Amino acid sequence: TLTGNIALNGGALTVGEDSQATLLNNTITLNQASVGAGIYSTGNVSIANTIVAVNSGSNSPYIDVSGIVTSHGNNLIGVRRPALTSLAGDVAVEDGTIDVSDASGLPAVPFVLQLGGSEQVLVTVVSGQTLTVVRGHNETEVVAHAVGDSVRLDGCFAEGDLDGTSSQPLDPQLSPLAVPMFGQIPVHALPADSPAVDAGNAQAYQS
């Protein structure tokens, strides 16, 4: 549990460039920072079975997670980041390339994007604003997309992930930090009606 921390960026966790971190079965809550009060990453963070929610700061769309984060499933993100960019043209089912309106925030290949609200693509080549992609990544359905559809990089779209938005945050309803009856380490317990109850998966992360 990472809770009650305060920083300019990365209230709970900052991962710098060329660094990496893996978070499994964690709770990151009640931290404060201008950006990424939960996680701030210019490196690479992998998360699974982790709650990142009810953090606070001035930049609300990026308050829980900011930077390069890869989900391995079954996370609860209170405020999901807005789309990185959008499609600059229509994409047919048979297309193996896509054009985006802004490619400036893309990492080094290979990486995964989400088009619209469902299909994932594996990006293998970036040439200007044109991306060569493998469609239907992670067994998602290959569908047509229209110009202006969202393109997401945040990584929090794996199986079992739950998320909210800056206008409608997803609250896990965590109990105050306390030591459980048969434990030694303080935790934020989940009440029975929390959306995080039974939302985890022991097989979510495979190293």
Side-chain angles (χ1 to χ4, degrees), residues 2-3 26-31 37-39 50-56 63-65 76-79 162 164 169-174 188:
L2 301 174
T3 186
N26 278 274
T27 299
I28 300 175
T29 188
L30 299 177
N31 302 285
I39 299 172
T50 291
I51 295 172
V52 189
V54 200
N55 297 287
S56 61
I63 200 58
D64 284 320
V65 176
L76 186 152
I77 309 298
V79 176
L162 305 172
L170 182 59
D171 187 351
Q173 304 172 36
L174 300 171
H188 289 283

Side-chain angles (χ1 to χ4, degrees), residues 12-103:
L13 176 68
T14 297
V15 177
E17 189 175 358
D18 299 324
S19 299
Q20 59 185 11
T22 300
L23 299 175
L24 307 177
N25 309 315
N26 278 274
T27 299
I28 300 175
T29 188
L30 299 177
N31 302 285
Q32 299 178 46
S34 295
V35 179
I39 299 172
Y40 181 83
S41 171
T42 55
N44 199 332
V45 177
S46 296
I47 60 174
N49 290 329
T50 291
I51 295 172
V52 189
V54 200
N55 297 287
S56 61
S58 57
N59 196 338
S60 60
Y62 301 90
I63 200 58
D64 284 320
V65 176
S66 178
I68 302 172
V69 175
T70 301
S71 169
H72 293 270
N74 300 88
N75 300 289
L76 186 152
I77 309 298
V79 176
R80 184 180 185 180
R81 292 173 292 171
L84 172 72
T85 184
S86 60
L87 292 174
D90 294 338
V91 178
V93 170
E94 64 272 15
D95 288 345
T97 61
I98 63 173
D99 292 322
V100 296
S101 57
D102 182 5

